[in-house]
Amino acid sequence: MISGARQAEPSWFHRLVARAMARRLTVFVVPGPDVARAYGLDIEAAGLQVVDTPRHAGVLLLIGDPPKGLREAAAVANAQMPRPRAIFAVGAGDVSPLPEPDLLVDMNQEDVAAGVEELRRSFAAGAFAPETEDFEAEVVREDEDDEGEMDPGHMHHDSDEEEDESDDGEDEGDQNDQDLDEPEEKEVGEDQLEDFMSMIEMTEGMPASGDGLIMEWVPAAYGPLFPGLPGGLSLVFTLDGDTVAETEVEPGIEGHSPVEILYGPVERIAERAAKLDSLTPVSYGLLIQRAIESTSGTRIGEEEALSRVGALERERAASHLGWAASFGFLIGDRSLSRGAGRLQIALLQAANVGEVGRIKGDVEDFVHKTLRTPLLGSKLGGIGIVDGSGAENAIGPVARAAGFETDARSEDPAYQDLGFAPVVRDGNDALTRFQLRLEEIRQSLNLVLEAGAMAATGSTDSDDSSGTGTATVETPRGMAALRVTLEDGMVTNVQLDAPSMCNVRLVETVTMGKEVADALAGVGSLDLSPWEMSG
Amino acid sequence: MSALQQYALLLGMVVGAVGFVLSVYGIARSLGKTRREPGKDVPATSGRLSREPVWARYHVRYYGYALLFLAFDMEMAYMYPWAVVYRELGLKALLDMGVFLAILYLGLLYGWSQGAFRRQR
Amino acid sequence: MSTAIVILALLAGAYVVAVLEGWAATGRFQPAGPALDAVALLGRESVVTRSSDRIFFEVGPVLLLISALLAAAVLPLAPGLIITDLATGALFVNAALAYVMVALLMAGWGPDGVYAMVGGWRFLGQLVGYSMLIVMPLTTVAMRAESLFTTRIVESQGAMWNVVFQPLGFVLFFLAALAVCFLPPFDLPTAPGELAGGVMSEYTGARLGIMRLARMVLVVTLSVTVTVFFLGGWLGPVLPPWAWTLGKSLVVAAAMLFAGRYVPRVREEHFLQWCWKYGIPLALINILYVGIVLLVVGK
């Protein structure tokens, strides 16, 4: 019996339907398809069809160990999936408040594919069961007081109505001090017009839109599990029609603190740093490595430096390809989304530089073809512009697309030896950022091939070193800076400046007053990662 | 078939389609009832429980286009019978309708110049 | 009798189109896909959102199916093979397709969910854009045929198909047909990346099945419409007439499904601007052009 079986006595018809459902499993991915690709998993190739709303899904797919905030969101999504439903966990640990997963496999493609086959069997056998239980979780129960808070327009409406009803007992003459043309209408047939309110009264005190009309604003959650945005990023838009009137971003994911992950003994810190942001594990591993090395003042050899360059650049290319896949899905370009996803997984699975060389041709074709997509200019041109001071304070590809030549790699001697020059464009909109990242993919692959090696090694010996060290690394999203204090081989103090924390301040400029599709494209073009943000 | 019979047949088709849909719902219902669980009937908004209700005065931004659309839609209603007798009437029909369309087109140009053809912020 | 044949042909066409759409979306050709999906959807629970407008919620998918069927009822698959050969055939097609908008607005308003609401109203904006581009080429086609009977429209293309006679009208009509069935790049109401499914997001189980079926029938209907009005319907040398209709409709449907794969979704603002600033003047020029040609060629 699967965890979300439907209650019925299985007859031949039920079994037929269950077998059909097992053949066509639809899956809702938590935290998102981008995280699955970053781990090197190709879900479509494993036989599952990814859908974008839990209502169309039969299987809830949990990738990695989701932190508390995401587990609660997944519980809500699970409650909204129609039965029969199953939970498929890949490399996950504790998944409360969700029920026990129906299947738990390790994080690699073969196990996932084998798991899908087993899931099909359990679905066909257990989709319908005579006895089932409700899925109860606290997060799924609604709070009654939430409804009043988010509702300024309606609350005002109610208070006006109360005022009018209390006025009915008084003299007609001094009833209305609100509106001058009201009293005549109130006198005639007062009984029918007890609840009458003119538009002016009804919309009094409500904010006006850009064209002067006063309409009702609705809060819409583009929450942690929205398919077009990075998985885990929580936005709440207050929509005025289809335009964004207000924006709220939640910095980071509840229950995931990138800084706290790093505390502890120095021994296994590289592994812990990789868990900091599963989308860019190599960058953060390298960052902490360099910071520890700078505490003890060790210098690394040239070969090792080149190898690190290769690893970092490979990850950059893969990250940009993953971003292009998510972004393509957001803007509705299917071939971009699929092509980029496939190339990202192939690149992540490349075992050595030779294989990367073989992929390079495909990537070049892909970049060339994508840059010439028809109507891309009209879709992205002028979207997501960050004006004035915002652009100066931006970081990473967002800044480089605004004409600022800020790149931490320019100061790195290993890169200088390879003749590195950052890609800079002047355009400051989503189209420019798109083109810039595609260019960076090309540049990164060339750097990998020139470096000749891509293994990020270097051990942190567990000596009882103490001291403070700083390091910077140009992650795919921008420069990350780390300052770490060691005491007797334990990390005691960590200060992390992650690029997404800097770029998240641009979300408001990019979304306010824009149509919701343009706002989402703008946010997508910033390439934020909620995993490296700390609340 | 007379026109009345044809429309009766179309009505029959509509009823048949509704009947088909209801029978599909009936078959689906025979597999079991929908279980009422907490949170299941809240509209799905990407991992959060959504507010109730969403029915509000929706602010459409294309009302400039909508006004001109009304004018052109009325025009198209006149063009159907005109198209059928066009070849019979010849040049006169072309000129008559040409004047009508030109006037409407001038209206379109006026609207364009006054900013009706943009997203009304 | 012909009613039954036409309806069966429509359903078979809808199945083929569903397979094609699966192929276009996932890159894999799975002939048993739609059948399995249909059976699987029967087994899912049908969830009705709390505080939904029940009437709108229920009527939306059904109305979408009905409007597609009604539009298909006046289209001839072969001489004599038509459900109702209405005297106002061409007009009736447009009238029936207007209910697609009503159905999607109902589907958007009914569930009381914000994604569906935005999707529904976006489709109304789309309609304000594409509506004239459907009607104006229809008028020119009727001008050439001197009648609104769809059978006579096909017969009038004996000498030359309308796609050659008025290529501008064909292009505009084809793009507007893409917009009516909200296929990419005009899939504003159901945008997967921006609205997480939009108008279809709150439908589950059998209702979702009916909505998807209705959408497939709509695509088939629009393909047959393009074939009948612009590609000469059943006309063609060697094969039997119904084979020509089906073949041409299949080509049009494939073109409609595969055209939008390589292009990003159109922005609502741009769609309306392009339709009204460029589309309608071009359609008017087309009417003028056809009018002059018909006068000159004469008879």
Side-chain angles (χ1 to χ4, degrees), chain A residues 6 55 83 132 134 140 211, chain B residues 32 35 37-38 42 63 121:
Chain A
R6 198 168 171 191
R55 293 240 186 254
R83 288 175 180 252
T132 54
D134 274 355
V140 160
D211 54 0
Chain B
R35 193 188 186 104
E37 286 173 286
V42 180
Y63 44 82
R121 324 218 133 267

Side-chain angles (χ1 to χ4, degrees), chain A residues 47-91:
Chain A
L48 297 170
Q49 184 194 355
V50 178
V51 293
D52 44 10
T53 165
R55 293 240 186 254
H56 296 174
V59 177
L60 188 72
L61 180 62
L62 291 168
I63 310 265
D65 213 349
K68 176 160 168 293
L70 283 185
R71 273 183 274 135
E72 290 183 352
V76 171
N78 188 47
Q80 291 171 339
M81 284 165 62
R83 288 175 180 252
R85 61 190 182 216
I87 300 182
F88 184 12
V90 177

Side-chain angles (χ1 to χ4, degrees), chain B residues 5-46:
Chain B
Q5 280 177 309
Q6 288 177 324
Y7 283 112
L9 180 54
L10 287 176
L11 182 63
M13 238 177 72
V14 169
V15 172
V18 173
F20 165 74
V21 169
L22 288 177
S23 55
V24 167
Y25 288 174
I27 296 177
R29 184 68 157 61
S30 78
L31 287 170
K33 287 206 303 197
T34 301
R35 193 188 186 104
R36 302 190 71 113
E37 286 173 286
K40 179 183 280 185
D41 52 3
V42 180
T45 46
S46 53

Side-chain angles (χ1 to χ4, degrees), chain C:
Chain C
M1 187 54 205
S2 57
T3 308
I5 298 181
V6 171
I7 292 193
L8 281 176
L10 266 184
L11 290 177
Y15 190 86
V16 171
V17 163
V19 172
L20 280 178
E21 196 193 23
W23 193 4
T26 61
R28 270 177 303 194
F29 182 66
Q30 291 165 321
L36 288 173
D37 274 337
V39 177
L41 279 174
L42 275 183
R44 295 213 155 274
E45 287 182 327
S46 285
V47 177
V48 178
T49 49
R50 51 109 192 254
S51 77
S52 66
D53 190 324
R54 197 60 193 269
I55 298 179
F56 278 3
F57 189 71
E58 300 287 355
V59 171
V62 183
L63 189 57
L64 191 60
L65 180 63
I66 289 176
S67 77
L69 282 177
L70 283 179
V74 296
L75 296 172
L77 299 183
L81 194 59
I82 185 174
I83 296 183
T84 51
D85 198 2
L86 284 180
T88 54
L91 169 61
F92 192 78
V93 168
N94 195 31
L97 289 178
Y99 278 95
V100 171
M101 177 266 291
V102 179
L104 283 189
L105 265 180
M106 285 185 177
W109 182 271
D112 194 25
V114 63
Y115 299 152
M117 180 81 120
V118 175
W121 288 106
R122 274 168 117 182
F123 187 73
L124 183 55
Q126 211 171 308
L127 173 119
V128 168
Y130 73 66
S131 194
M132 288 297 113
L133 299 183
I134 289 256
V135 174
M136 291 186 180
L138 268 184
T139 330
T140 55
V141 163
M143 277 161 77
R144 186 176 180 211
E146 283 185 89
S147 134
L148 290 174
F149 276 98
T150 46
T151 41
R152 298 224 193 114
I153 289 179
V154 174
E155 285 161 10
S156 77
Q157 297 178 61
M160 185 196 303
W161 292 356
N162 274 335
V163 64
V164 181
F165 189 77
Q166 35 176 324
L168 184 58
F170 170 71
V171 168
L172 292 172
F173 191 80
F174 184 77
L175 290 174
L178 272 178
V180 175
C181 358
F182 49 99
L183 286 174
F186 303 118
D187 58 346
L188 291 171
T190 60
E194 296 160 5
L195 290 179
V199 286
M200 298 176 93
S201 66
E202 297 295 343
Y203 284 103
T204 57
R207 290 195 190 93
L208 181 66
I210 296 291
M211 195 144 187
R212 287 193 179 153
L213 172 70
R215 187 174 179 191
M216 291 299 108
V217 175
L218 187 62
V219 175
V220 172
T221 304
L222 262 305
S223 317
V224 176
T225 310
V226 172
T227 308
V228 161
F229 287 147
F230 285 94
L231 292 179
W234 67 71
L235 298 170
V238 170
L239 298 170
W242 55 266
W244 274 112
T245 316
L246 290 179
K248 290 179 200 172
S249 306
L250 198 63
V251 169
V252 172
M256 285 167 79
L257 288 170
F258 283 87
R261 273 195 67 214
Y262 303 97
V263 176
R265 189 172 302 121
V266 69
R267 290 174 61 197
E268 188 195 22
E269 179 181 353
H270 280 166
F271 180 67
L272 282 167
Q273 274 180 358
W274 294 341
C275 280
W276 278 86
K277 290 184 184 172
Y278 310 123
I280 290 189
L282 284 175
L284 289 173
I285 291 175
N286 185 45
I287 293 181
L288 191 63
Y289 166 77
V290 168
I292 294 178
V293 167
L294 283 177
L295 281 184
V296 164
V297 164
K299 197 165 300 186

Side-chain angles (χ1 to χ4, degrees), chain A residues 160-197:
Chain A
D160 262 357
E161 265 187 357
E162 284 170 22
E163 264 185 57
D164 280 348
E165 284 175 27
S166 67
D167 276 348
D168 283 347
E170 299 174 15
D171 248 16
E172 290 170 3
D174 23 333
Q175 238 179 26
N176 264 313
D177 43 342
Q178 295 174 5
D179 227 34
L180 290 178
D181 32 334
E182 265 307 287
E184 293 123 47
E185 297 176 88
K186 279 276 177 178
E187 282 167 12
V188 175
E190 204 198 294
D191 298 334
Q192 305 103 294
L193 298 174
E194 262 175 25
D195 298 326
F196 178 79
M197 282 197 337

Side-chain angles (χ1 to χ4, degrees), chain A residues 433-453:
Chain A
R433 292 176 205 140
F434 186 76
Q435 291 167 337
L436 183 113
R437 288 197 181 97
L438 288 178
E439 265 307 311
E440 284 195 351
I441 294 177
R442 266 199 208 143
Q443 184 191 47
S444 292
L445 283 183
N446 284 334
L447 282 172
V448 171
L449 292 176
E450 271 182 46

